Amino acid sequence: MKAGHFAAIAPDELPAFLESINKNDARLYAPTRIALRLMLLIFVRSSELRTTPWSEINLQTSEWIIPWQRMKRGKLTMNPDQTDHHVCLSLQGLELLRELHHYTGGSTYLFPNQRDHSKPMSGDAIRMALNRMGYEGKMTTHGFRALAMTTLKEKLGYRHETVDRQLAHAQKDKIASAYDRAQFLDECWRALKFDQLRALNIDQALSC
């Protein structure tokens, strides 16, 4: 476990974390529970997830494209990155989004504010849910991305380009920036297949 402002659990602690989500299922607001599970599968920043409008997602074609204007590097004052971010969706991720649609499909956002549905979920909602689960100081919203990086790179052996692109990290050189998108998407899909999650014995817990 990594402590501090960006605290994150280790991959070996993931089964216990998922069990904690399951045990707290009845206590968690349904969209918040889905948000926690989605963050384990898609690795976007929590700010990007909670402000995502349904208009960016096509459940029929399994596509989720975040416009560059909403991305962290797209908001830079100098030389913003004008590349839309393609979120790779596993079958589990799609199932969660379809479940979420039953709850919030009539709202603008995937995760509307409970008090004012015209606004997105509060930035503290996921953090407070983690605290209620007993993970205060042990797991943060940023920790989901750190966990993804460690798991995919060190445990499953995926190329750093694939992981960095899915995390929407800045490319360090022109060669990396020119990394073939088709190859990236192909590797990304394979990284999210059930058999890869099964290698960590978490597929059943994620789909509960």
Side-chain angles (χ1 to χ4, degrees):
M1 181 183 70
K2 184 189 299 181
H5 185 59
F6 292 151
I9 60 173
D12 293 343
E13 298 174 278
L14 188 49
F17 180 74
L18 290 165
E19 180 63 23
S20 180
I21 293 178
N22 292 337
K23 286 181 178 179
N24 285 274
D25 192 63
R27 298 174 55 199
L28 293 172
Y29 179 53
T32 303
R33 167 180 54 79
I34 294 172
L36 288 169
R37 287 196 168 100
L38 278 174
M39 290 188 69
L40 287 167
L41 290 168
I42 59 176
F43 322 140
V44 297
R45 296 176 178 87
S46 61
S47 60
E48 294 159 359
L49 177 66
R50 65 183 180 81
T51 59
T52 294
W54 279 108
S55 59
E56 290 181 4
I57 295 176
N58 189 324
L59 294 175
Q60 282 67 47
T61 61
S62 306
E63 289 183 308
W64 180 350
I65 302 175
I66 303 178
W68 64 267
Q69 294 92 338
R70 283 212 312 114
M71 300 300 295
K72 179 180 179 180
R73 293 191 56 76
K75 296 177 181 179
L76 294 176
T77 303
M78 298 290 292
N79 300 318
D81 185 348
Q82 299 183 17
T83 304
D84 294 340
H85 181 55
H86 291 246
V87 180
C88 288
L89 291 172
S90 65
L91 293 178
Q92 290 165 312
L94 282 169
E95 288 173 1
L96 286 170
L97 286 173
R98 290 185 178 117
E99 179 187 355
L100 180 64
H101 196 267
H102 289 300
Y103 294 108
T104 67
S107 301
T108 298
Y109 298 101
L110 271 67
F111 300 99
N113 188 288
Q114 291 187 56
R115 294 185 177 86
D116 184 353
H117 284 198
S118 67
K119 298 179 181 179
M121 171 190 284
S122 164
D124 287 332
I126 296 177
R127 179 185 61 80
M128 293 173 65
L130 290 170
N131 291 351
R132 286 196 296 272
M133 288 167 51
Y135 280 85
E136 184 172 4
K138 302 175 183 177
M139 184 64 168
T140 60
T141 54
H142 183 84
F144 286 93
R145 288 164 59 81
L147 175 62
M149 182 182 299
T150 301
T151 302
L152 290 174
K153 286 185 179 181
E154 299 179 11
K155 295 292 185 179
L156 298 179
Y158 278 89
R159 292 158 51 96
H160 70 86
E161 293 96 340
T162 302
V163 179
D164 286 351
R165 282 288 289 272
Q166 181 59 7
L167 291 170
H169 282 170
Q171 301 302 310
K172 296 179 180 177
D173 53 52
K174 292 183 179 180
I175 294 177
S177 296
Y179 180 64
D180 181 68
R181 178 175 294 278
Q183 183 179 1
F184 155 67
L185 290 174
D186 178 65
E187 290 190 18
C188 179
W189 274 105
R190 288 191 286 108
L192 293 175
K193 279 186 177 178
F194 280 158
D195 59 342
Q196 300 299 337
L197 292 171
R198 193 171 294 120
L200 296 177
N201 297 315
I202 65 172
D203 60 314
Q204 185 175 356
L206 273 172
S207 58
C208 288

